[in-house]
Amino acid sequence: MDFKFASTMLVGTAMLAGCLGSHPAEPFSWTVEADGALLHCAPQDAKRVKARLRDLSVRAPYDGARIVVMRADGSFAFDPCNSFAARPPLLLKGIAKDALEAAVPADFAVEPSRAEVTFDVEVSRIALDCRSEGSRKARVSLALTAFPRGGEGRAFKSEASADAADGNYTKAFSQAFADALGKAAGDFTGE
């Protein structure tokens, strides 16, 4: 085989495979943060309990790093340009603990056997809501389940959204998550 022909074939094959062509842009990676300004704080005079966060789960299809987009026709899409910096179950667990520490008058630095109440958080939706024309909102739905020691669990469901029209998804998802968890924690403490 002729060297010139072989090198031409190699370059042609590489170009067809996309090796020498342009690469698609990397997606933007967003996070969710427990910003003190966003957190709902428990009243200072409330009785403190010993508590722990046992589990945080996120339902499919919202449990992957790619941001789910809710469309007007009822279908979902995965945003090719925006994703979370980590899968939501990993991203949200520490933030949920911080938010609960602020919203529930509790000491979370206890061993599991000493906890008076144990919390589980199940996020049933964390998505970009684009169902209304010209509107983009970060939407979070969740259930905070409280298990008092020796008692049955009780779920407190909540949903919140935050405007994401400016494209700052970290800010929007942080606000929506903090609001949803704050509402559920407020229902728990208001019992």
Side-chain angles (χ1 to χ4, degrees):
M1 183 182 276
D2 177 284
F3 174 74
K4 187 174 180 179
F5 177 74
S7 59
T8 302
M9 287 298 292
L10 182 62
V11 169
T13 303
M15 287 181 72
L16 289 174
C19 296
L20 298 178
S22 64
H23 295 288
E26 287 290 317
F28 290 98
S29 293
W30 302 94
T31 190
V32 179
E33 299 173 347
D35 181 346
L38 304 177
L39 300 180
H40 301 265
C41 295
Q44 293 294 332
D45 60 346
K47 180 184 176 288
R48 298 187 71 75
V49 296
K50 291 178 173 57
R52 76 181 188 105
L53 175 61
R54 177 177 57 191
D55 188 40
L56 181 136
S57 61
V58 179
R59 287 186 191 169
Y62 310 100
D63 59 343
R66 294 175 61 195
I67 293 178
V68 174
V69 178
M70 301 163 56
R71 300 189 291 198
D73 66 1
S75 66
F76 291 158
F78 293 97
D79 190 331
C81 300
N82 295 285
S83 65
F84 290 112
R87 292 181 52 243
L90 301 172
L91 189 65
L92 297 174
K93 187 158 187 180
I95 295 145
K97 184 176 177 289
D98 294 344
L100 283 171
E101 284 179 342
V104 176
D107 175 11
F108 279 82
V110 297
E111 293 181 26
S113 62
R114 298 192 54 201
E116 296 169 316
V117 63
T118 299
F119 293 104
D120 286 349
V121 177
E122 181 184 34
V123 177
S124 54
R125 175 181 293 158
I126 180 166
L128 193 60
D129 187 349
C130 297
R131 293 178 290 184
S132 298
E133 177 116 12
S135 174
R136 236 183 328 171
K137 294 183 180 282
R139 185 167 303 280
V140 175
S141 303
L142 57 79
L144 172 68
T145 305
F147 298 92
R149 185 175 23 198
E152 291 189 26
R154 179 138 184 241
F156 302 90
K157 294 183 178 183
S158 180
E159 180 173 279
S161 64
D163 187 32
D166 66 357
N168 185 339
Y169 295 156
T170 291
K171 178 180 151 196
F173 280 108
S174 297
Q175 183 70 61
F177 185 72
D179 287 351
L181 196 54
K183 286 178 192 175
D187 290 345
F188 165 75
T189 58
E191 279 197 317

